[in-house]
Short mmCIF file of all heavy atoms in Angstrom, two decimals:
data_model
loop_
_atom_site.label_atom_id
_atom_site.label_comp_id
_atom_site.label_asym_id
_atom_site.label_seq_id
_atom_site.Cartn_x
_atom_site.Cartn_y
_atom_site.Cartn_z
N ALA A 206 42.22 67.13 -30.24
CA ALA A 206 42.08 65.95 -29.39
C ALA A 206 40.60 65.74 -29.12
O ALA A 206 39.92 66.64 -28.61
CB ALA A 206 42.84 66.12 -28.08
N VAL A 258 45.94 61.85 -17.20
CA VAL A 258 45.11 60.82 -16.56
C VAL A 258 43.65 61.02 -16.96
O VAL A 258 43.11 62.12 -16.84
CB VAL A 258 45.23 60.87 -15.02
CG1 VAL A 258 44.32 59.81 -14.39
CG2 VAL A 258 46.66 60.65 -14.59
N GLN A 338 44.16 62.21 -11.07
CA GLN A 338 45.23 63.14 -11.40
C GLN A 338 46.57 62.41 -11.51
O GLN A 338 46.71 61.27 -11.08
CB GLN A 338 45.33 64.23 -10.32
CG GLN A 338 44.08 65.09 -10.19
CD GLN A 338 44.21 66.13 -9.10
OE1 GLN A 338 45.30 66.64 -8.85
NE2 GLN A 338 43.11 66.45 -8.44
N SER A 499 17.93 73.75 -4.36
CA SER A 499 17.33 72.79 -5.27
C SER A 499 17.93 73.00 -6.64
O SER A 499 17.90 74.13 -7.17
CB SER A 499 15.81 72.99 -5.35
OG SER A 499 15.17 72.59 -4.17
N ALA A 568 17.36 68.42 -32.70
CA ALA A 568 18.16 67.22 -32.42
C ALA A 568 17.48 66.29 -31.44
O ALA A 568 17.67 65.07 -31.49
CB ALA A 568 19.54 67.62 -31.88
N SER A 757 -19.36 56.46 -52.09
CA SER A 757 -18.13 57.21 -51.81
C SER A 757 -18.42 58.31 -50.81
O SER A 757 -19.42 59.03 -50.93
CB SER A 757 -17.58 57.81 -53.11
OG SER A 757 -16.45 58.60 -52.86
#
Side-chain angles (χ1 to χ4, degrees):
V258 179
Q338 298 179 33
S499 289
S757 176

